[in-house]
Amino acid sequence: MRVHFIAIGGAAMHNLALALHEKGYQVTGSDDIIFDPSKGRLEAKGLLPESFGWFPDKISKDIDAIILGMHAKNDNPELVRAEALGLTIYSYPEFLYEQSKHKTRVVIGGSHGKTTITSMILHVMHYHEKEVDYMVGAQLEGFDTMVHLTEENDFIVLEGDEYLSSPIDRRPKFHLYKPNIALLSGIAWDHINVFPTYQNYVEQFEIFLTQITQGGAIVYNQEDREVAKVVESSTSTIKKYPYQTPSYKVEGGETLLETPEGPMPIEVFGKHTINNLEGARWICQLMGVDQDDFYEAISTFKGASKRLEKIAENSTSVAYKDFAHSPSKVKATTEAVKNQYPDRELLACLELHTYSSLNPEFLKEYEGALDAADIAVVFYSPHAVEIKKLDPISEAQIAQAFKRDDLVIYTDPDAFKQYLFAQQFDNKSLLLMSSGNYGGLDFEEVQNIVT
């Protein structure tokens, strides 16, 4: 089968390209720019485009499928050519569904925790040598790619993102997977540029439930009020399995999870993460892994890339980076680190980077999000606001939103870096939260100053 990717360089797109190449498909692609690690990984498999840009002459009638990435525009020259030729055009999630129509589809949805829960499930399956297909939003230890597709595996585990499918398909990705087994971890307003009201955003999860196959199952976080409301009011013919955070305790910087066999040390921490762990346990049980086998495997789980990822540690200090950007996740992550190291001063830094976080109307959602930090820092780039064509925001607006009189605010990357590198890290925890990189912060340099 011959497949062509329009915008092959994205994190998700290049991983799907690698997976199809591994499956034996003939894969080509285009993009206007590709950065590492995508660039190096595509090049290693001979899939890197010879030249960057869009080339309509690459599109011919002998292509079986076009896969269209979100980075492309709806007037992309290759897309226009493909439409003119009447080629079959898929969004990323549409193609994944086509690849998994005859499998048991397990879809992990929610405003936060999707990547962590999916990663936990895959870790447990890998630990017990149970082969499954998958798509996950982070690189995992022991896994070559973020996407794996076969003909023979019975299960496919899919991270169910609620963002749009493609430039010409405005449906949320997770509406297209039609799960047999699904999970909802939490609902907290996000993607304000696409879902302008909270109710509009919640409706996407209500629709998600209607897409579960008849007689299928939904595992849901009972502690999240909106999730419980959405699931328990659903009239779909599905089985409903609620879960809540299991008992645990923290002793000397180590988290001990209560299990039927007694307290068990685990590598991850924080109420939010342990709540995710319980959701993963339920899903694994529905996939045929019993409780004892789950606990044995999960005790070795160290976390997904950029999800409370430890980047440096010595006897008196520790540093983490986390993908957190939504208000609820920022609050949960900040509290988790403070609770894990209660006797250390916590310096928590947040970069406002997404469309939602840089929206003046949305900013008020961050009230109290950094309260657990001893020192709270917010970084944002006025230039990024300008590029995204959003209304300007001032430092006063930021300070008012977070409701902290002592909030430290930076808009210049160099000034933020100087501040960070001037800190004394004895008896201190550092938490860097962002879906960006603070205007070019080198995390290896951060490792050096902490250790």
Side-chain angles (χ1 to χ4, degrees), residues 254-298:
E254 181 178 58
T255 296
L256 301 170
L257 179 68
E258 290 295 337
T259 76
E261 302 299 318
M264 181 186 77
I266 54 177
E267 301 276 352
V268 293
F269 63 88
K271 183 179 186 294
H272 178 75
T273 302
I274 294 169
N275 179 272
N276 290 337
L277 183 151
E278 183 67 2
R281 186 181 71 80
W282 271 95
I283 292 291
C284 287
Q285 184 171 309
L286 293 174
M287 292 176 69
V289 176
D290 67 28
Q291 183 172 259
D292 290 345
D293 286 342
F294 174 82
Y295 286 132
E296 178 186 335
I298 207 67

Side-chain angles (χ1 to χ4, degrees), residues 192-212:
I192 190 174
N193 56 313
V194 176
F195 309 113
T197 68
Y198 177 69
Q199 188 51 47
N200 179 229
Y201 181 72
V202 172
E203 284 171 4
Q204 309 314 311
F205 295 90
E206 295 171 345
I207 295 169
F208 174 61
L209 288 182
T210 69
Q211 301 301 310
I212 300 172

Side-chain angles (χ1 to χ4, degrees), residues 37-320:
S38 303
K39 183 178 179 182
R41 299 179 78 210
L42 288 170
E43 190 171 30
K45 298 295 183 180
L47 302 180
L48 187 69
E50 290 182 7
S51 302
F52 291 151
W54 311 113
F55 305 95
D57 57 353
K58 285 186 177 183
I59 309 302
S60 58
K61 286 187 176 180
D62 60 345
I63 293 176
D64 297 296
I66 297 287
I67 303 177
L68 179 64
M70 275 301 295
H71 173 59
K73 306 297 183 187
N74 57 12
D75 61 351
N76 182 282
E78 293 188 13
L79 172 60
V80 171
R81 173 70 173 162
E83 290 173 326
L85 291 176
L87 299 182
T88 303
I89 301 169
Y90 293 102
S91 66
Y92 181 90
E94 275 183 312
F95 193 81
L96 282 175
Y97 175 73
E98 286 298 315
Q99 292 279 304
S100 60
K101 281 193 294 191
H102 305 297
K103 299 176 183 292
T104 299
R105 293 174 301 284
V106 180
V107 180
I108 310 303
S111 304
H112 43 68
K114 295 183 294 291
T115 299
T116 297
I117 295 171
T118 308
S119 302
M120 287 174 171
I121 295 163
L122 295 178
H123 175 85
V124 170
M125 295 298 160
H126 185 68
Y127 181 94
H128 289 296
E129 299 181 345
K130 294 179 181 290
E131 291 292 328
V132 298
D133 289 0
Y134 59 84
M135 182 275 291
V136 63
Q139 194 63 46
L140 304 181
E141 187 177 332
F143 293 80
D144 294 330
T145 59
M146 292 155 59
V147 181
H148 180 61
L149 300 169
T150 67
E151 296 295 338
E152 64 274 10
N153 289 339
D154 294 328
F155 284 97
I156 183 167
V157 183
L158 298 162
E159 180 176 331
D161 183 11
E162 68 270 24
Y163 202 68
L164 304 180
S165 295
S166 84
I168 59 173
D169 186 346
R170 310 299 284 177
R171 293 174 294 174
K173 294 185 183 77
F174 71 162
H175 287 181
L176 306 183
Y177 295 135
K178 298 179 173 60
N180 305 97
I181 301 169
L183 180 143
L184 269 184
S185 59
I187 297 176
W189 193 21
D190 201 358
H191 309 305
I192 190 174
N193 56 313
V194 176
F195 309 113
T197 68
Y198 177 69
Q199 188 51 47
N200 179 229
Y201 181 72
V202 172
E203 284 171 4
Q204 309 314 311
F205 295 90
E206 295 171 345
I207 295 169
F208 174 61
L209 288 182
T210 69
Q211 301 301 310
I212 300 172
T213 57
Q214 189 169 350
I218 177 71
V219 173
Y220 67 100
N221 178 13
Q222 194 176 32
E223 293 175 4
D224 186 291
R225 184 181 307 170
E226 199 66 65
V227 166
K229 179 181 173 184
V230 166
V231 174
E232 290 164 12
S233 63
S234 170
T235 57
S236 297
T237 310
I238 53 177
K239 304 178 189 73
K240 301 174 182 179
Y241 299 102
Y243 68 89
Q244 54 190 8
T245 308
S247 297
Y248 69 97
K249 57 186 176 182
V250 179
E251 292 182 353
E254 181 178 58
T255 296
L256 301 170
L257 179 68
E258 290 295 337
T259 76
E261 302 299 318
M264 181 186 77
I266 54 177
E267 301 276 352
V268 293
F269 63 88
K271 183 179 186 294
H272 178 75
T273 302
I274 294 169
N275 179 272
N276 290 337
L277 183 151
E278 183 67 2
R281 186 181 71 80
W282 271 95
I283 292 291
C284 287
Q285 184 171 309
L286 293 174
M287 292 176 69
V289 176
D290 67 28
Q291 183 172 259
D292 290 345
D293 286 342
F294 174 82
Y295 286 132
E296 178 186 335
I298 207 67
S299 67
T300 63
F301 178 71
K302 291 182 170 62
S305 176
K306 298 180 183 178
R307 271 68 178 181
L308 253 183
E309 179 182 355
K310 186 187 294 183
I311 59 174
E313 184 178 30
N314 61 30
S315 59
T316 64
S317 60
V318 67
Y320 288 90

